[in-house]
Each structure stands twice: as C-alpha cells, then as structure tokens.
Amino acid sequence: MPRIEGKTGDGVQAVHLALSIIEHLAREQRAVGVTALAQALGTTKSRIHRHLQTLVQEGYLVQPADSDRYASGPRLVALGRAVSDNLDLANLAADPLMELRDALGHSAVVSQITPDGIRVLATVPGRSAIEIGVRPGSMLSFHSSAQGKAALAHSSPEFRARVLRSKLEVFTQYTIVSPEALAAELDKVRAQGWATAPNETGIGLNTLAAPIFDSTGTVCGTVGIVDMVQFIPGTPSEDQCTRTMAAARRVSKALGHDEL
C-alpha cells in the first residue's frame, strides 16, 4: 500500500486517494476504467493508474483479462465479510434498545429484513407487569407489521413491487390486503420516517418501528417498540416517534451509515 509518512503530506494524500478508489469501486459494483475513476475523483489518470497497480498487486482490486477496467478484488471482499461478521445487528442494537425501553417503558425490538419478511433478532421486555412483545426468531409479514412496513417503504422499487404482487394474508379485519392501499401506506411511512400497524396482526396490539440502514444506505432492519394500542396508538406521541427514530439512527450509524 502507499506510504503514509512524508513531510509534505503526500503519503497521507496517497492513502486518502487509495481509499477513495476502493470506496468508489465498491459503490459502483462493476468494473470501472481509469478515465472514469480520474473524473469521478478529480485527479489525473497517471496518478490513478499508479494507485490501481498497487491495489491490484495487494489483491484489493482485480483487472479482468483483456480489459482496461478495474473491480473489487478477493482480498477486499474477504475484508468486507470479516467486518460484516463483527457488525452483528443484535449486538449493535443492544444499548439503543435498552435505552429506548428505559425511556418509554415499552418492549423494544430489533429486526432484520429478509426476502420473505422481517425476522425478529432481539427484544428487551417492557416495564409493564403484563409482558407484551414478540419472540426472537419470529417472522413478521411486510404488509401487516410496523417493522415490515418501515423496511418495505425504504426498500428498492423492485422489491416493493414483488411484495405488492404477492398474496397479502388476512390476520384481522384491520389488515391491509389491497395493494393500492398498501402502496399508499408505504408512501406515508417513507415521508414520516416511521410506521405503525394497530390491530393489523393481532387485535389490541401495536408496534411503532423505524428503519435501520447499512453503510451503503440500504435498509437492513428496523428498531421498534411494542405494546397495547392504548399505550401506542395508531398515531403515536411525538416523544415515542422521536425516540424510536433516534434509536434506529444510532444503530444505522454504528453500521457505517452516513445520513449526509
């Protein structure tokens, strides 16, 4: 890798450029040429080329045969997987969940998006004498749970379209089973930053959920609070919404998400 020492700061600048190249290629998710890289990063092709050669030699990038383009290499992929393994969503959410429960008194939950629904990863029981919550490992639907709607509202248009085309199971008389009505609900959720599902999975139950984003800005899960509808109404209090969204942002930040 480029040196990091030097009186003029050239070494530090070299490291900065090398990291910028790696980040740009990771975001593009495709092979990119020297000219495009130079234009994107605002530097010369010769300077970009020197860094590319070093990164290829170290295995962080690859240059496909008979091509003048570069892409992420096996060493970078392995490094990403190692980092991902250490960023366990349930562990990262542990403190925010505990603080959310302590502040509001409701059960707090973190869930992860999957192709088939929202899987509950961890919960913190509420302070009520009657425990209201969801079991870790439970799979929640996209259309009848606050967690599902919060995640689906921020997923890709293609993913949302697939869910809207699928059979929307009826759980109660309040479950949204119309694709048009669900699409309108998702627009509302996306605009306000949170979702609820009063009585939609079970009569008397409600959840308030906010989305979690990873370092690429992709929605990967939700943080939520769970209780009876008398304590979490269909339109929650400003304090409930603010604290739940703040907890989700804390987890997103721990995953490397930058809102700016």
Side-chain angles (χ1 to χ4, degrees):
M1 294 294 290
R3 63 187 178 89
I4 61 174
E5 72 278 353
K7 294 181 180 180
T8 64
D10 288 345
V12 174
Q13 292 176 7
V15 172
H16 182 270
L17 180 56
L19 293 174
S20 296
I21 292 171
I22 289 173
E23 290 176 355
H24 184 81
L25 290 175
R27 286 193 300 269
E28 288 293 310
Q29 298 182 344
R30 62 183 176 85
V32 179
V34 176
T35 300
L37 275 169
Q39 291 174 345
L41 300 180
T43 188
T44 63
K45 291 195 291 184
S46 61
R47 191 160 178 246
I48 287 287
H49 188 265
R50 291 196 300 271
H51 285 73
L52 288 171
Q53 293 305 306
T54 300
L55 291 168
V56 168
Q57 291 171 12
E58 296 295 329
Y60 288 98
L61 300 182
V62 293
Q63 183 179 18
D66 302 322
S67 173
D68 60 353
R69 297 174 180 268
Y70 297 81
S72 299
R75 192 170 180 183
L76 182 60
V77 173
L79 182 62
R81 287 175 178 168
V83 172
S84 178
D85 290 342
N86 290 328
L87 294 179
D88 180 77
L89 189 55
N91 288 335
L92 291 175
D95 287 343
L97 284 187
M98 189 69 72
E99 292 177 13
L100 186 60
R101 189 282 308 271
D102 290 346
L104 298 175
H106 313 295
S107 297
V109 57
V110 61
S111 307
Q112 186 173 45
I113 189 170
T114 78
D116 301 313
I118 298 293
R119 186 179 302 281
V120 176
L121 298 181
T123 63
V124 177
R127 296 207 177 277
S128 172
I130 301 175
E131 183 175 341
I132 304 295
V134 287
R135 295 190 306 273
S138 299
M139 185 71 81
L140 307 175
S141 71
F142 285 116
H143 70 289
S144 69
S145 68
Q147 293 97 319
K149 288 189 281 186
L152 187 60
H154 292 87
S155 65
S156 69
E158 295 77 17
F159 190 87
R160 286 199 303 275
R162 180 180 71 80
V163 174
L164 290 170
R165 288 194 304 268
S166 67
K167 177 178 173 55
L168 303 178
E169 184 179 353
V170 176
F171 294 97
T172 76
Q173 65 265 40
Y174 300 100
T175 305
I176 300 175
V177 293
S178 161
E180 294 77 17
L182 181 57
E185 175 82 354
L186 296 176
D187 288 341
K188 178 182 175 183
V189 168
R190 192 159 49 252
Q192 66 194 11
W194 51 267
T196 58
N199 301 306
E200 293 181 34
T201 295
I203 298 298
L205 300 177
N206 193 20
T207 298
L208 165 64
I212 298 171
F213 300 95
D214 65 18
S215 60
T216 69
T218 301
V219 64
C220 60
T222 64
V223 163
I225 53 173
V226 184
D227 214 323
M228 304 294 289
V229 290
Q230 66 194 87
F231 302 119
I232 305 177
T235 301
S237 70
E238 182 178 351
D239 190 40
Q240 289 172 327
C241 294
T242 298
R243 290 182 182 275
T244 301
M245 289 190 291
R249 284 195 297 270
R250 278 188 61 188
V251 180
S252 298
K253 185 175 181 180
L255 288 169
H257 177 60
D258 185 356
E259 290 185 281
L260 301 178

